[in-house]
Amino acid sequence: MSILFNENNQQFHIQTKNSSYIFCVSDFQALEHLYYGKRIPQDDVKYIGNRQIYSHLGYESRDKRDFSASVLGMEISPFNAGDIRVPSVVYNYDGKVDCNRLRYRSHTIYEGRQPIDGLPYSRVSAETETLEVVMSDDENTVEFTLYYVVYADVDVIARHQTIKNKGTMSLSIQKFTSMCVDFYGSDFDAVTLEGIYLYEKAHVSRAPIKRGIFKNNSLTGTSSHNHNPFLALCEHNADEDKGEVYGFNLLYSGNFSGEVSVNQLGDTRVLTGIDDTGFCWTLKSGEELTSPEAIMTYSDQGLGGMSRNFHDHIRQNIIEKEFAFAPRPIVINSWEASYFTVSEDKVLALAETAKDCGIDMVVLDDGWFRPHDKMGLGDWRTIKDKFPSGIKGLSEKIHAMGLKFGLWLEPEMVNEDSELYREDPKCILSTSRLPLISRSQYVLDLTRDDIVERIADRISEELEGAQIDYIKWDFNRYLTEAGSYTAAQGEVYHRQMLGAYKLLSILKQRLGNVLFETCSGGGGRFDLGMLFYSPQIWTSDNTDPYARVYIQYGTSYAYPVSAISCHFTEGECTSGRPSSYDFRYRVAAFGSYGYELDLSKYGAEDRAAFKSYSEQYRKDEDLNLNGDLYRLISPESDKFCAYIKVSKDKKKALFTFLELNATGFIECMTLRLKGLAPEKLYRNEETGEILYGATLMNVGIRIGDLYRKKREDGYMVAFTAVEE
Ligand code: GLA
């Protein structure tokens, strides 16, 4: 049992492999948070809440200063209910507040978990256990259910909540986070992943939190290229390997917010959920609303330990089981090869050469239903002149060549120049005027079920009978002036996300056992919400390998490498900066591997090189799918980047060292490896040298020993455990 309830002291203790999360039903039936951190025994820790109440604060008892929500940890904290800190929920009842103080009513503990209807969630595993706690106000008109779903083996607790209107008047909700965690003290740094289009998650931002509010959020209707729902709090001296770290993330792809506030006592509150800007949701009598799911983890093994907990949880419990650990197809994608000039002949030519390069799948990107980006989205009609056999015919031809077939879609959008928009100009998200245009397109109003169904039907009809193995699902603009002709304004952004998830689910179901790769102009929706539907995500439109090193390394803080889609592309790709083949391969082999270049331009020698890269990737792929990542040198040093992937049984490891700047004399540099078994002997497959894991991890390796190869190519060295 990982969820324990002690009747005597009314204390809940959630115990994972290495962490404890403790709260209790306290006096006045509040749900008082007591502790989150390293695993401890089943002691009564209620004493930690014996805190002085100071002047001006409100307290529950009329006679003595004995209980004030303002100085105690709270599992849920409504606005205007006695806690003066940043609230986790804000609501009122028909414009009035009677009493928002919430009281514990009941709880249940059970094995397994319930799915969350219409939203992504962590899937059930053999060990999953759930605690539900029901709370309500004094009049029993507003009821909350707080869910704690425990994944003890990976040290993850998933949380979400439901609010129900049990009264007769309407309930208006202005803020509804997924999770609240209070810490006594504030000796933390906050870590977030910052970026921009073409440089997503490339800056791992870390700064001490101060009194006041730190907010990491997105108002773009997507999780965005700029910020990411991932947020960590760590001790000031925590590093990759040691120190306490708390990681948080959200299974959601729309407007989100991670708020860290430090109050006058120096206590810290962390909130994660839907951003409340412009949010206002009305529940009629009997209706309820469920928040997205947040996940949290604790590690005393530094940021590396936190990442590995998240990687394991995401692979085991968020990504669909049939894809999570299965080898991924090595794709050739048509985008950087042909852009909008793609045609059946060109795709077949790509397929012909792909076979010589160890490629498994040809992906037809944008351009099959439109000649440029100003038309066609929403209609999904194949251009017959360019694709005379249609998508069905082309997919059959590709399959006949022994390859798989993938297709690009952007179902949530419509071009102004489309039948759909001409017929129903109200099909888009807009206010009383036309919204700003972006990439010549608008966002479809997916709060409308008829639009969701119409798009799903149109795409299913167009692809009827086609042999599709993979879908690249794109989303190429942010939401602006998002209003709807049918949904209430304060509900639009969230309803839009619910509609998007619905459309994804319908098309996934209709297309059968298809691998989805989501994308949003690269990594604009690289989040756990999308990973629930798509085992991998296109990481960035920036395919310059030097830039990719930063982007991919940053992304790995929160997401497993197998989810990070990486392609070997033309040398002068996005940036015009040249790079060697080996360097490009080594960077792209960080995640799920593929190609994106015009193969017809490359002769037999190049194709042989591509084939050997594909074979090498296949040989090492298991480390991506099942192994552990240890980051060694951050590219933010601006000199090098290094990491090692180690199999769970510690028998195999793959070390990568990439030089980003010609920094001069690095022959003398030594680097200590990580993650190996100290007692095992490992053969360095490059030098043949055999040393103990303990030696490699303490004395280290000499980078100069790898110098027999070219420095600008980087080094990728396998270590294999040998019998003594
Ligand atoms: C986005 C994607 C690219 C490509 C284009 C096609 O920018 O990120 O990979 O699919 O759209 O229009």
Side-chain angles (χ1 to χ4, degrees), residues 402-501:
L403 291 160
K404 291 182 172 167
F405 177 68
L407 189 69
W408 181 92
L409 292 173
E410 195 181 357
E412 296 156 81
M413 300 284 172
V414 67
N415 284 117
E416 208 162 25
D417 186 0
S418 65
E419 282 165 40
L420 173 56
Y421 183 72
R422 275 187 290 275
E423 259 175 47
D424 179 6
K426 292 185 176 172
C427 69
I428 61 169
L429 289 178
S430 64
T431 49
S432 52
R433 279 185 234 165
L434 265 188
L436 296 169
I437 196 93
S438 177
R439 211 194 186 205
S440 306
Q441 65 197 52
Y442 297 122
V443 185
L444 282 169
D445 182 352
L446 302 180
T447 73
R448 281 174 54 181
D449 277 348
D450 62 318
I451 299 287
V452 170
E453 276 152 29
R454 182 170 172 165
I455 286 293
D457 289 348
R458 179 76 279 278
I459 290 174
S460 319
E461 199 186 312
E462 193 66 17
L463 304 185
E464 176 80 58
Q467 296 179 16
I468 294 178
D469 306 286
Y470 159 111
I471 290 288
K472 179 173 169 192
W473 181 291
D474 214 335
F475 187 92
N476 276 316
R477 64 160 293 175
Y478 296 140
L479 274 58
T480 68
E481 304 127 291
S484 164
Y485 285 92
T486 50
Q489 184 58 48
E491 302 183 3
V492 169
Y493 277 86
H494 182 51
R495 284 198 187 279
Q496 178 70 12
M497 220 42 257
L498 295 176
Y501 290 141

Side-chain angles (χ1 to χ4, degrees), residues 197 335 340 365-366 370 408 439 472 474 476 519-522 538 541 596:
Y197 173 61
W335 183 240
F340 284 106
D365 208 281
D366 200 353
R370 58 175 180 176
W408 181 92
R439 211 194 186 205
K472 179 173 169 192
D474 214 335
N476 276 316
C519 171
S520 174
W538 181 230
D541 278 354
E596 194 152 332

Side-chain angles (χ1 to χ4, degrees), residues 14-30:
I14 298 175
Q15 237 173 14
T16 70
K17 198 164 70 180
N18 299 294
S19 74
S20 284
Y21 187 93
I22 308 175
F23 57 96
C24 67
V25 181
S26 83
D27 303 341
F28 305 98
Q29 276 66 55

Side-chain angles (χ1 to χ4, degrees), residues 587-598:
V587 173
F590 184 75
S592 287
Y593 182 66
Y595 296 85
E596 194 152 332
L597 34 70
D598 185 357

Side-chain angles (χ1 to χ4, degrees), residues 376-404:
L377 284 175
D379 292 345
W380 302 107
R381 296 199 192 283
T382 313
I383 305 176
K384 276 285 157 50
D385 294 350
K386 288 165 89 182
F387 292 91
S389 316
I391 296 303
K392 178 171 180 286
L394 176 61
S395 69
E396 283 162 1
K397 287 184 185 174
I398 300 276
H399 274 258
M401 292 163 86
L403 291 160
K404 291 182 172 167

Side-chain angles (χ1 to χ4, degrees), residues 273-410:
I274 295 176
D275 190 273
D276 58 346
T277 311
F279 178 84
C280 184
W281 194 281
T282 305
L283 292 181
K284 293 201 203 90
S285 176
E287 286 182 342
E288 60 181 51
L289 175 68
T290 300
S291 76
E293 177 173 293
I295 57 170
M296 55 188 203
T297 192
Y298 163 83
S299 173
D300 63 358
Q301 311 280 303
L303 288 157
M306 173 211 68
S307 295
R308 286 185 290 280
N309 288 353
F310 275 155
H311 295 176
D312 283 342
H313 179 66
I314 294 165
R315 292 184 297 195
Q316 290 174 27
N317 305 315
I318 294 184
I319 293 177
E320 293 154 282
K321 305 245 186 241
E322 58 270 47
F323 293 115
F325 300 104
R328 303 293 166 83
I330 298 178
V331 305
I332 170 79
N333 179 297
S334 68
W335 183 240
E336 288 191 24
S338 315
Y339 296 101
F340 284 106
T341 71
V342 76
S343 66
E344 180 169 319
D345 288 346
K346 284 190 184 173
V347 175
L348 291 174
L350 262 191
E352 200 50 60
T353 32
K355 286 194 301 184
D356 300 339
C357 303
I359 290 169
D360 312 302
M361 182 189 282
V362 179
V363 177
L364 170 54
D365 208 281
D366 200 353
W368 60 269
F369 62 96
R370 58 175 180 176
H372 48 71
D373 64 9
K374 295 194 169 30
M375 62 178 292
L377 284 175
D379 292 345
W380 302 107
R381 296 199 192 283
T382 313
I383 305 176
K384 276 285 157 50
D385 294 350
K386 288 165 89 182
F387 292 91
S389 316
I391 296 303
K392 178 171 180 286
L394 176 61
S395 69
E396 283 162 1
K397 287 184 185 174
I398 300 276
H399 274 258
M401 292 163 86
L403 291 160
K404 291 182 172 167
F405 177 68
L407 189 69
W408 181 92
L409 292 173
E410 195 181 357

Side-chain angles (χ1 to χ4, degrees), residues 7 84 122 198 207 256 278 303 385 418 422 513 521 528 530 542 606 615 620 670 688:
E7 288 284 350
I84 59 169
S122 303
L198 296 180
F256 74 86
L303 288 157
D385 294 350
S418 65
R422 275 187 290 275
N513 193 31
L528 298 179
M530 284 296 144
N542 190 343
D606 291 326
E615 286 167 355
D620 299 330
T670 54

